[in-house]
Every structure is written in structure tokens, then in C-alpha cells.
Amino acid sequence: MGAPVVGEVPAPAAVLIRPDGYVAWVGDGADSGLAGALATWFGPPV
């Protein structure tokens, strides 16, 4: 995957996209920070 200015960028293992189209979280195989991002956008687990 390429990006202007920075060049070649490796694809992430997982991405959480906010409802407005912005990236809320990017994962590299670990779920560090995912629970917080999910709670922010979808509410706390029930």
C-alpha cells in the first residue's frame, strides 16, 4: 500500500473506522486500546 509523501506503508492487521469515516483505532495483531475505542464509539459493554 502506498501513500503520498510518506511512500510505502504496510497494511495494518485491523482497523476500526468511526461512523464519520475517520480511523478510530489501528491494530498490529494485539488488541491494545481496542476496548477503549469500542466503548467510545459504541458504548460500554452490557
Side-chain angles (χ1 to χ4, degrees):
M1 173 186 299
V5 183
V6 295
E8 196 67 25
V9 178
V15 179
L16 176 64
I17 307 294
R18 299 182 340 191
D20 59 5
Y22 286 92
V23 175
W25 175 85
V26 176
D28 60 0
D31 64 356
S32 177
L34 178 58
L38 289 169
T40 298
W41 292 103
F42 300 104
V46 272

